[in-house]
Amino acid sequence: MSLSRRDALTLLLGAPLAAEACKRARTRSVPGEIRGAAMSVGHRLRDAVVERATGPARRTRTLIVGAGPSGLSAGWRLERLGEREFTVLDLEPRAGGTSAYGTDGVVPYPWGAHYVPAPTAENRALVALLRELDAFESPSRLEPRETALVRAPEERLFIDGEWHEGLFPSAGASDQDLAELAAFQREVARWVAFRDARGRRAFTLPVSHCSDDARVTALDRQSAAAWCAERGYRSERLRWYLEYACRDDYTLTLETTSAWALLFYFCARVPEPGRESEPFLTWPEGNGRLVRHLAGVLGERVKLGWLVTDVVPGAEQVEVSALEVKTGALLRFEAEQVILAVPRFLAARLLRPWREHPPAHLAEFRYGAWMVANLHLSRRPRSRGFPFAWDNVIYDSPALGYVVATHQTLADYGPTVWTYYQPFTDPDPAAARRRLAAIDHAGFCDSILSDLGRAHHGLADAVERLDVYRWGHAMVSPRPGFIWGTARRRASEPLGRVHFAHSDLSGVALFEEAQDHGVRAAEAILRARGRAFEPLVEPFG
């Protein structure tokens, strides 16, 4: 598809910003490329070309399909409990899924998820992993090292021509804006204080620890917009702030986000009423630091460049067909147990019983599309107002702004890498994916530099390279009714010797959720084998 400049800018920025950008000359041609998942190979599954291997089988005790955070966490848990006979297959050339990262910049940089909050003691799996990364000051305390904590300044917002500290648009806010913000903060404090009859919080990490009290689950049956309207929140600035949260974690708007999910975003990381959220831990490559460690633990058992095409559960074993992309060889694997650590839409194409008779609950899983770009800069462009922060957001942009990969290194001058995030919040996710696929590299560059150029004079001249990563199914969407409906529970139940693990089983796409399901699947397999161990997660249900 060939698009005009105005059409490309409109698809990415929206009509008002596109019209303004078109008044200016197109920015210079910038080197770079479009990267992303192995779409041409993966579309063989989408187009229902199911390839089944014949001949002798490779045998492994456990086969894990997917080397994202969930699959890597499953293998990590098996390894740490002494179960070392397993294989991990993944289509991509690098492990990590949406926590993937790049290494060809002045520092490593993220292609997706870029932080985790400091965990509480109850999140035993994440605590154990961070201990291995030496992320705490001492073995006996959960105080993160300063080098892992996001350093100040953490956030800033560009509004009315200059940068201001923080993400709520306080500069120029009216008394009504501030009064409604205070009212929302009181609601957050009320829910943070909530405990059900079993002592569980309404919102915490991971989701499996959240209360299922009727007062909590009722929030899932209405939209965030309806919940705000009930409380009389009319402030444009407050609604922008709340919708930013929905776009950031869910690729949704207030109208399409569950009220439960909105409150989860603001409450789950707050330890006590009136306290700040738990601090964020990050590294130049974001959560790439976590998956790099996990992949290192698994070593050569992670096999990259393999397209799994068919998974057939049997009474005594599971038969798996997989194509080695590099050689074109189609091979057969036999495993005692399989973990499908992939999103539901892929599991439905891989698993023969689901492919032949799709369960109705799978239709409830929907996924948002994202564009992530990394801008390699020779220097920092001019920035008016509050100085550069780790997270930098533009108020009226359809994108979420950018994070600075060199922020943690204390390098505040000179070359850097900015990671720019744009969610596509279209009500129809398929339309968003078509929109994402229609833009070429020049169109992405024009849009990104037009958007960020409003806040950074001279940005285009400082960009040495700009690469784009298209995520067609970046994260699961917690629409009203999904979190506490039946689909998540039913999709988590094993099918014979096939187990499931992925963040979409939680309804929110966070590293903690992916890890929780990966570890849970591994522990379920070990229980089935009669192993005794101290669990890191609670069994599902």
Side-chain angles (χ1 to χ4, degrees):
M1 181 186 299
S2 178
L3 298 174
S4 68
R5 184 188 183 210
R6 179 180 289 274
D7 286 343
L9 288 171
T10 300
L11 284 174
L12 290 168
L13 296 179
L17 290 180
E20 186 63 30
C22 282
K23 295 177 183 177
R24 301 186 292 272
R26 183 190 288 271
T27 56
R28 68 178 179 85
S29 178
V30 178
E33 61 183 347
I34 295 179
R35 306 183 184 183
M39 296 175 65
S40 61
V41 180
H43 285 173
R44 295 168 72 161
L45 289 177
R46 182 198 65 184
D47 298 333
V49 178
V50 177
E51 297 168 271
R52 297 167 182 169
T54 59
R58 295 187 180 187
R59 299 183 183 276
T60 185
R61 201 165 191 205
T62 304
L63 183 66
I64 301 169
V65 180
S70 196
L72 294 176
S73 294
W76 169 76
R77 186 58 174 151
L78 292 173
E79 162 67 28
R80 291 303 187 232
L81 288 173
E83 289 277 338
R84 298 186 170 90
E85 189 184 338
F86 63 86
T87 301
V88 182
L89 300 179
D90 195 279
L91 173 59
E92 299 305 322
R94 172 171 287 177
T98 52
S99 292
Y101 62 100
T103 57
D104 56 352
V106 292
V107 292
Y109 54 87
W111 276 119
H114 53 279
Y115 69 87
V116 291
T120 62
E122 291 74 24
N123 193 347
R124 296 188 298 274
L126 185 55
V127 167
L129 175 59
L130 291 174
R131 287 200 193 284
E132 291 187 13
L133 271 74
D134 196 27
F136 299 118
E137 289 287 355
S138 73
S140 59
R141 300 173 59 194
L142 298 185
E143 180 181 350
R145 291 189 181 278
E146 286 293 330
T147 53
L149 291 172
V150 174
R151 75 174 180 95
E154 184 174 328
E155 300 167 328
R156 65 173 183 166
L157 178 68
F158 185 80
I159 185 171
D160 295 333
E162 64 180 19
W163 292 96
H164 300 270
E165 184 177 12
L167 284 189
F168 183 82
S170 300
S174 68
D175 289 344
Q176 182 63 30
D177 293 328
L178 299 176
E180 290 190 18
L181 173 64
F184 175 72
Q185 291 171 333
R186 289 192 294 271
E187 280 287 332
V188 168
R190 182 171 74 85
W191 282 111
V192 169
F194 176 92
R195 298 294 184 274
D196 66 14
R198 293 171 53 187
R200 295 174 300 178
R201 291 169 52 108
F203 307 98
T204 191
L205 292 166
V207 167
S208 58
H209 292 186
C210 292
S211 172
D212 61 358
D213 185 281
R215 290 166 291 180
V216 179
T217 60
L219 293 164
D220 190 46
R221 294 194 291 272
Q222 66 178 153
S223 71
W227 184 87
C228 289
E230 283 182 358
R231 281 146 190 81
Y233 298 156
R234 299 181 180 85
S235 162
E236 179 180 324
R237 293 183 177 227
L238 175 63
R239 291 177 69 88
W240 175 88
Y241 178 61
L242 301 185
E243 186 155 274
Y244 177 88
C246 298
R247 294 191 295 133
D248 182 27
D249 263 24
Y250 310 133
T251 327
L252 295 173
T253 64
L254 285 173
E255 285 70 24
T256 53
T257 303
S258 156
W260 185 97
L262 173 68
L263 285 164
F264 176 86
Y265 180 98
F266 286 97
C267 298
R269 304 178 180 100
V270 180
E272 298 174 7
R275 291 267 302 274
E276 295 290 328
S277 294
E278 294 287 4
F280 290 161
L281 280 67
T282 193
W283 301 268
E285 66 269 44
N287 289 2
R289 180 68 61 91
L290 304 177
V291 296
R292 186 178 70 188
H293 174 80
L294 292 170
V297 170
L298 275 53
E300 294 183 354
R301 286 164 295 191
V302 178
K303 311 293 185 184
L304 301 173
W306 284 84
L307 173 67
V308 173
T309 61
D310 196 27
V311 178
V312 186
E316 301 297 328
Q317 62 189 18
V318 183
E319 184 176 306
V320 176
S321 298
L323 176 76
E324 187 176 25
V325 175
K326 183 177 181 180
T327 65
L330 186 64
L331 301 180
R332 189 162 65 92
F333 291 81
E334 288 179 352
E336 290 180 12
Q337 308 276 351
V338 166
I339 299 174
L340 284 183
V342 297
R344 294 321 89 202
F345 73 92
L346 282 180
R349 295 168 186 165
L350 301 179
L351 189 58
R352 188 181 297 182
W354 282 10
R355 192 169 60 246
E356 294 177 348
H357 303 286
H361 63 264
L362 295 183
E364 298 298 317
F365 287 81
R366 300 184 186 181
Y367 302 83
W370 281 65
M371 180 267 287
V372 179
N374 272 292
L375 291 74
H376 298 256
L377 307 181
S378 60
R379 56 179 173 77
R380 315 297 165 97
R382 284 195 303 224
S383 180
R384 179 182 177 186
F386 192 79
F388 282 101
W390 171 64
D391 191 11
N392 306 264
V393 178
I394 297 179
Y395 179 73
D396 60 351
S397 171
L400 299 173
Y402 62 91
V403 295
V404 179
T406 53
H407 189 72
Q408 292 298 93
T409 69
L410 307 181
D412 292 332
Y413 301 93
T416 188
V417 182
W418 290 358
T419 308
Y420 176 93
Y421 295 89
Q422 181 169 355
F424 289 76
T425 59
D426 308 52
D428 178 5
R433 285 187 280 276
R434 289 193 295 271
R435 200 151 60 100
L436 186 62
I439 311 298
D440 61 12
H441 180 262
F444 282 122
C445 290
D446 196 13
S447 171
I448 294 165
L449 296 179
S450 294
D451 185 26
L452 294 180
R454 297 180 292 145
H456 296 291
H457 182 72
L459 171 63
D461 293 333
V463 178
E464 295 183 323
R465 190 173 91 242
L466 193 160
D467 298 320
V468 173
Y469 206 110
R470 294 184 295 200
W471 296 98
H473 299 79
M475 58 176 59
V476 67
S477 302
R479 296 168 179 269
F482 178 69
I483 294 290
W484 291 104
T486 61
R488 286 198 311 116
R489 176 184 57 78
R490 294 187 62 190
S492 300
E493 296 168 352
L495 182 64
R497 294 175 175 269
V498 177
H499 305 259
F500 302 102
H502 194 269
S503 62
D504 66 356
L505 296 175
S506 288
V508 292
L510 300 175
F511 181 90
E512 300 92 315
E513 305 303 333
Q515 185 191 31
D516 187 60
H517 289 287
V519 171
R520 178 176 293 109
E523 292 187 350
I525 287 174
L526 295 179
R527 288 191 190 92
R529 292 174 181 164
R531 284 288 307 277
F533 56 90
E534 183 67 28
L536 287 181
V537 302
E538 300 173 2
F540 189 83

